[in-house]
């Protein structure tokens, strides 16, 4: 309905950021003398976008008359140029053979303030940590280091600002082709596959450093710097075309209520972007600083506080502002763990995470379900939608 589109348009103008993390496989080994090693294979997906009023009105309100002055309608071999309006019949819309701008179209001005970023990385992680000195019952210091090889699967960055409209594109799979649009402006988008996985478009690394202090086996203080490093891409660069024709041919009719197909038609008929060639490009990782503390007042209760702050806000997978959290883990019995708390800062506004975890075999096997925002499931005033389910955590 239009109310849903209105809401989506308001959200798009305010800015949307989506981060997804998936752990495909992991394992660890630990002894008191050697310390502990851990390894895992994971993927991270980040998407962020923001659009201006012009783009929102067209895409979500169908106000194409703000862009298109008139159209040429071809019926029975006869071309007729008529003024465009939103109330044109479906037959007339299907017969549109070209669209006309009322004045020379300046794509840089029209898209000013728009942005879209996409990052998809596959991470091969390895870490090592151990006790450095001390005894947990009195005072002990632990340290750890982690290394990851980052296999870059996709990268896309579009920005329209004081420097004009600029696009950096490193996309490969047909799933990211968006109905044919990207293949017209991105020579790398050839749908190439390597076995079961898409062909990478680059690679890089990340480093983690951490340290913690344990006092009398009840109080822990910790600090970490995570994901220091960068990923190198082979990208294609594009800039907005300052000389777009005032008439754009339309091959498959004009459908104002389907903005994706309409944009496809416009892009197919006119060269909105000019290729600036290929180059190697480095993107800094979404590194962050993390500080935390935990306290065990009694055996069944574990209380913790946490703060995460970004080093690099430009990465699409990065948090934008510091996040603060406090949580409590309650174990009324050996076989169950209940946890909740509150998270604020960044994109969170008083979120209440909650989870329940079932423990089998004195800790040998665990499974559970959790959400980063319980409010969403209880009221209509939730700040985000989040759920997680774990089913294969095994200890030996």
């Amino acid at each position: 309905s239009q109310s849903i589109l209105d809401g989506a348009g308001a959200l798009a103008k305010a800015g949307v950021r989506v981060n997804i993390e998936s752990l495909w496989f992991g394992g660890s080994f630990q002894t008191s003398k050697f310390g502990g090693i851990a390894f895992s294979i994971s993927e991270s997906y980040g998407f962020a976008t923001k659009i201006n009023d012009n783009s929102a009105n067209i895409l979500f309100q169908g106000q194409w008359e703000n862009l298109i002055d008139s159209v040429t309608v071809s019926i029975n071999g006869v071309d007729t140029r008529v003024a465009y309006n939103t109330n044109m019949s479906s037959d007339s819309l299907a017969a549109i053979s070209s669209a006309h701008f009322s004045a020379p179209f300046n794509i840089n001005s029209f898209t000013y303030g728009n942005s879209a970023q996409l990052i998809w990385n596959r991470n091969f992680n390895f870490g090592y940590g151990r006790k450095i000195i001390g005894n947990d019952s009195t005072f002990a210091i632990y340290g750890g280091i982690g290394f990851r090889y980052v296999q870059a699967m996709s990268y896309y960055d579009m920005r329209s600002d004081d420097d004009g409209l600029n696009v950096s594109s490193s996309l490969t799979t047909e799933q990211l082709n968006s109905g044919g649009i990207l293949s017209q402006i991105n020579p790398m988008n050839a749908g190439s596959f390597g076995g079961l996985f898409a062909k990478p478009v680059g690679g890089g690394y990340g480093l983690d450093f951490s340290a913690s202090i344990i006092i009398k086996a009840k109080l822990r203080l910790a600090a970490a710097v995570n994901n220091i490093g960068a990923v190198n891409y082979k990208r294609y660069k594009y800039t907005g075309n300052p000389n777009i024709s005032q008439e754009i041919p339309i091959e498959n009719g004009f459908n104002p209520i389907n903005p994706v197909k309409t944009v496809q038609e416009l892009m197919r008929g006119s060269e909105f972007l000019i290729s600036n060639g290929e180059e190697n490009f480095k993107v800094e990782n979404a590194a962050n600083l993390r500080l935390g503390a935990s306290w065990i007042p009694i055996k069944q209760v574990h209380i913790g506080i946490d703060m995460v702050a970004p080093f690099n806000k430009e990465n699409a997978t990065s948090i934008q502002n510091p996040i603060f959290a406090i949580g409590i883990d309650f174990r009324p019995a050996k076989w169950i763990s209940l946890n909740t708390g509150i998270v604020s800062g960044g994109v969170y506004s008083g979120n209440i995470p909650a989870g329940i975890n079932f423990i089998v075999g004195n800790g040998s096997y665990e499974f559970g379900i959790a959400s980063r925002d319980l409010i969403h499931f209880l009221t209509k005033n939730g700040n985000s939608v989040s759920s997680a389910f774990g089913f294969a955590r095994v200890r030996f």
Side-chain angles (χ1 to χ4, degrees):
S1 67
Q2 189 57 51
S3 61
I4 295 177
L5 292 175
D6 291 344
L11 189 62
K13 288 191 289 183
V16 176
R17 181 172 291 269
V18 178
N19 293 322
I20 301 174
E21 302 284 341
S22 60
L23 176 64
W24 296 116
F25 179 78
S28 64
F29 173 78
Q30 180 178 352
T31 67
S32 57
K33 291 185 178 181
F34 173 75
I37 59 172
F39 61 93
S40 66
I41 300 175
S42 62
E43 290 194 359
S44 59
Y45 315 86
F47 174 75
T49 185
K50 186 175 183 179
I51 63 177
N52 61 22
D53 289 339
N54 290 333
S55 301
N57 290 338
I58 287 177
L59 295 176
F60 297 100
Q61 301 290 333
Q63 297 177 9
W64 291 97
E65 63 270 21
N66 293 346
L67 176 65
I68 297 173
D69 171 70
S70 59
V71 293
T72 296
V73 179
S74 300
I75 299 178
N76 296 326
V78 178
D79 294 342
T80 305
R81 184 169 176 174
V82 298
Y84 174 78
N85 66 80
T86 56
N87 297 319
M88 294 181 68
S89 68
S90 58
D91 291 339
S92 296
L93 291 171
I96 291 176
S97 60
S98 63
H100 307 266
F101 301 128
S102 58
F105 178 55
N106 188 319
I107 190 171
N108 294 339
S109 298
F110 192 85
T111 61
Y112 186 87
N114 288 0
S115 64
Q117 294 86 43
L118 167 71
I119 292 180
W120 169 20
N121 289 333
R122 181 172 295 132
N123 307 301
F124 299 85
N125 310 285
F126 177 83
Y128 172 72
R130 60 163 296 163
K131 181 189 295 183
I132 299 175
I133 59 171
N135 188 293
D136 290 2
S137 62
T138 55
F139 180 88
I141 298 177
Y142 287 77
I145 184 172
F147 172 81
R148 72 179 48 84
Y149 169 66
V150 182
Q151 196 174 59
M153 307 308 297
S154 291
Y155 175 82
Y156 187 84
D157 188 350
M158 182 278 290
R159 302 172 190 265
S160 183
D161 49 29
D162 292 336
D163 296 325
L165 175 61
N166 293 278
V167 176
S168 298
S169 179
S170 296
L171 303 175
T172 56
T173 67
E174 291 177 346
Q175 286 89 339
L176 297 172
N177 194 19
S178 188
I181 294 178
L182 297 175
S183 63
Q184 298 167 54
I185 63 172
N186 179 18
M188 287 192 70
N189 188 31
S192 55
F193 288 84
L196 296 176
F197 300 104
K199 181 180 179 181
V201 296
Y205 71 96
L207 296 173
D208 304 328
F209 303 93
S210 64
S212 62
I213 297 173
I214 298 179
I215 302 174
K216 295 185 177 180
K218 288 183 175 293
L219 178 64
R220 180 188 294 267
L221 306 174
V225 176
N226 300 313
N227 211 17
I228 299 295
V231 177
N232 294 301
Y233 295 87
K234 178 189 291 184
R235 70 171 180 176
Y236 285 82
K237 290 188 64 179
Y238 307 87
T239 55
N241 183 358
N243 299 309
I244 296 175
S245 172
Q246 285 186 251
E247 180 179 2
I248 297 179
I250 304 295
E251 295 181 3
N252 301 309
F254 196 84
N255 188 351
I257 63 174
N258 190 325
V260 174
K261 290 187 177 180
T262 302
V263 170
Q264 289 179 14
E265 283 298 318
L266 294 175
M267 292 190 70
R268 183 179 293 112
S270 181
E271 190 175 356
F272 281 84
L273 299 175
I274 299 175
S275 175
N276 298 135
E278 176 189 344
E279 69 175 17
N280 292 322
F281 178 61
K282 183 170 73 172
V283 177
E284 298 293 332
N285 291 346
N288 62 68
L289 168 68
R290 189 161 194 163
L291 303 174
S294 65
W295 177 46
I296 307 175
I298 60 176
K299 184 178 180 181
Q300 293 81 9
V301 177
H302 198 154
I303 302 171
I305 60 174
D306 199 14
M307 187 278 289
V308 183
F311 283 138
N312 171 28
K313 297 182 181 181
E314 296 299 316
N315 190 301
T317 61
S318 175
I319 61 175
Q320 295 301 290
N321 297 292
I323 298 174
F324 303 89
I326 182 170
I328 181 170
D329 181 84
F330 175 50
R331 299 195 176 192
K334 290 184 177 181
W335 56 272
I336 189 170
S337 171
L338 308 173
N339 55 79
T340 187
I342 186 168
V343 181
S344 187
V347 297
Y348 302 101
S349 179
N351 285 22
I352 298 180
I356 181 170
N357 196 40
F358 298 96
I359 305 164
V360 182
N362 200 27
S364 297
Y365 181 76
E366 296 183 18
F367 62 94
I369 187 169
S371 172
R372 292 184 181 180
D373 190 14
L374 184 64
I375 298 175
H376 171 78
F377 296 97
L378 301 178
T379 74
K380 297 181 179 180
N381 300 317
N383 300 305
S384 62
V385 178
S386 169
S387 62
F389 177 67
F391 60 91
R393 185 175 181 179
V394 180
R395 295 188 181 96
F396 299 96

